[in-house]
Amino acid sequence: MKVSENVSLRPYNTFGIDAAARYFTTFRNQEELQEILLDPRWRSVPRMILGGGSNILLTQNFDGLVLKNEVKGIEVVAEDDDHVYVQAGAGENWHQFVLHCIGKGLAGLENLSLIPGNVGASPMQNIGAYGVEIKDTFHELEALSIDGKSATLFNAAACAFGYRESVFKRRYRDQFVILNVTYRLSKHPTFHTSYGAITQELEQMGVKDLSIRNISQAVINIRSSKLPNPAEIGNAGSFFKNPEVTREKYEQLKADFPNVVAYPLPNDHYKLAAGWLIEQCGWKGYREGDAGVHVKQALVLVNYGHAKGNEIYALSTKVLESVQEKFGVQLEREVNIV
Ligand code: FAD
Ligand code: EPU
């Protein structure tokens, strides 16, 4: 395996941060990964698994070995009357995988169109958008332990999925390398159109007959209209999670701020729109050097060119503190800080 030294990670993270990896390599299958992980030379060196780099903020050079996952391949592994089980290599591009499934008439992932990144990271934070999360169609994944010794299958229960959460972000952080993920897709679609502006967008598109292809296109249109394209402006999507508060806290906020945007949850709690909280603190469109808060979506922090990761991080701290001060609500970063 070829290991390069002092490699700029700028092309490998959608924030476009120019931090370097002391060592960098790629792997295309389990054998290549094991060759590295079992090599005594690398055992005591910190390691970072990289997918599409669309959910990380590099705040410093990485003094270790970056392993870029390039495990490819999409195949049907099982089928029953209602479902097809499709397995994808962790290094497959997520959106291309979604389009592939739609092309085969397999339903379940269409609302998750155009999310950047790779298949292997999709279970990491249980990616979600427009009323759907991957946990809804997830079947299982295969992951190699970071010592390179054993591969394990994880079903949905073992992944402990939550809102932008999984066991791989918590208890097993940096303990496993996800090699492939299998989704249970439906031959008979159930359409999810109630969330956000999907119905409105479908009307505007002149859609008469619903299909997974139409829903995918509606989601693509909505996302393109408000989220910055990382190819043009560096970003990692939502920088913070939407915070959950108790009913009492929500009622107090509603009394003080009648326009507060919140969604009731089944557990008698409320999810607040962090974008609204941040916008109310005056951050929307704010810019400090090349670090900023997106003009159309206050939940998205951006790099206009040459911002350093610690400048974006410092801005996120100011945002977090001002939301705490004005609303008494603690935001939590969604992006993985490296
Ligand atoms: P990376 O950024 O490469 O990695 C993320 C984390 O996972 C890191 O900690 C990394 O070490 C770890 N990791 C990656 N691959 C593996 C692997 N194979 N095994 C073990 N660990 C691994 N997210 C949503 O949920 N919903 C959205 O709507 C959404 N919209 C976005 C819009 C934009 C414009 C952008 C830039 C991002 C958005 N995101 C969204 C965030 C991001 O796209 C997802 O989190 C995505 O799954 C990250 O994939 P990645 O391959 O780029 O992961
Ligand atoms: N809002 C504002 N000002 C803003 C932004 C949002 O007031 O600047 C309010 C609006 O009222 C809007 C509401 O917040 O209606 C919700 O905004 P939006 O529909 O854009 O969604 P979001 O809650 O900001 C979440 C996810 C996104 C996902 C979308 C669509 C989180 C942290 N973010 O954003 O995921 O694409 O819903 O489902 O849950 C990501 O994780 O990176 C990501 C982009």
Side-chain angles (χ1 to χ4, degrees):
M1 295 294 306
K2 183 173 179 296
V3 176
S4 308
E5 276 188 61
N6 297 321
V7 172
S8 168
L9 294 174
R10 189 164 195 186
Y12 301 109
N13 73 102
T14 61
F15 249 125
I17 302 294
D18 193 11
R22 176 95 187 269
Y23 305 107
F24 182 94
T25 192
T26 59
F27 60 95
R28 289 168 300 179
N29 50 48
Q30 183 174 334
E31 292 68 38
E32 288 186 357
L33 176 62
Q34 275 179 308
E35 193 186 319
I36 293 268
L37 295 180
L38 294 171
D39 185 331
R41 273 179 303 169
W42 303 112
R43 207 162 288 158
S44 55
V45 171
R47 284 153 291 185
M48 174 168 73
I49 309 302
L50 190 62
S54 65
N55 206 23
I56 55 169
L57 176 67
L58 300 163
T59 57
Q60 54 194 331
N61 291 335
F62 186 71
D63 191 17
L65 174 64
V66 169
L67 293 139
K68 181 155 165 38
N69 190 323
E70 291 185 351
V71 179
K72 294 283 164 61
I74 299 178
E75 62 174 319
V76 170
V77 290
E79 186 169 350
D80 59 31
D81 288 349
D82 300 320
H83 299 103
V84 175
Y85 294 73
V86 186
Q87 183 176 92
E92 288 287 344
N93 174 271
W94 174 259
H95 180 58
Q96 294 308 318
F97 173 58
V98 171
L99 293 182
H100 172 92
C101 297
I102 292 170
K104 300 274 180 212
L106 299 174
L109 302 178
E110 53 282 358
N111 290 51
L112 303 173
S113 297
L114 211 62
I115 296 181
N118 293 351
V119 166
S122 60
M124 283 293 297
Q125 67 160 10
N126 175 29
I127 56 169
Y130 297 93
V132 171
E133 293 178 321
I134 63 108
K135 73 170 171 53
D136 306 327
T137 47
F138 177 91
H139 177 60
E140 67 181 16
L141 64 78
E142 188 181 13
L144 188 69
S145 56
I146 199 70
D147 62 9
K149 288 186 181 154
S150 57
T152 308
L153 286 177
F154 288 78
N155 62 17
C159 291
F161 291 126
Y163 164 62
R164 297 296 189 274
E165 279 298 345
S166 78
V167 74
F168 302 104
K169 248 186 127 169
R170 298 276 164 188
R171 190 166 145 217
Y172 292 152
R173 186 165 201 110
D174 298 329
Q175 296 306 303
F176 285 95
V177 184
I178 296 168
L179 295 167
N180 58 62
V181 186
T182 304
Y183 284 96
R184 189 187 65 256
L185 302 176
S186 180
K187 296 179 180 177
H188 320 288
T190 310
F191 300 121
H192 301 279
T193 57
S194 58
Y195 185 95
I198 296 189
T199 315
Q200 221 178 316
E201 182 59 35
L202 287 165
E203 266 169 37
Q204 240 165 36
M205 286 162 59
V207 168
K208 301 269 177 330
D209 299 315
L210 269 186
S211 68
I212 52 175
R213 207 178 278 277
N214 287 331
I215 291 177
S216 167
Q217 192 56 52
V219 168
I220 290 172
N221 294 351
I222 300 167
R223 295 182 68 96
S224 309
S225 73
K226 61 174 158 188
L227 287 168
N229 177 353
E232 291 156 14
I233 304 177
N235 76 94
S238 303
F239 199 90
F240 303 97
K241 293 185 188 184
N242 285 326
E244 187 178 319
V245 295
T246 60
R247 168 190 284 279
E248 293 72 42
K249 177 68 186 175
Y250 164 70
E251 282 169 356
Q252 176 221 320
L253 283 169
K254 183 85 184 151
D256 295 341
F257 307 95
N259 296 328
V260 63
V261 181
Y263 316 94
L265 295 170
N267 59 358
D268 204 31
H269 283 208
Y270 283 76
K271 195 179 267 187
L272 305 176
W276 185 88
L277 299 171
I278 297 168
E279 181 175 355
Q280 295 306 304
C281 291
W283 291 107
K284 200 170 183 169
Y286 177 85
R287 181 170 176 170
E288 199 173 284
D290 272 352
V293 178
H294 189 48
V295 283
K296 292 191 201 161
Q297 227 300 4
L299 194 45
V300 178
L301 300 193
V302 293
N303 173 12
Y304 284 106
H306 297 281
K308 295 200 170 9
N310 54 17
E311 291 168 346
I312 306 264
Y313 187 82
L315 175 57
S316 77
T317 302
K318 287 189 200 171
V319 168
L320 203 139
E321 284 171 359
S322 71
V323 167
Q324 174 68 47
E325 195 179 325
K326 188 173 171 86
F327 298 105
V329 172
Q330 182 71 41
L331 292 183
E332 187 189 338
R333 292 180 183 87
E334 190 226 74
V335 170
N336 298 283
I337 310 297
V338 181

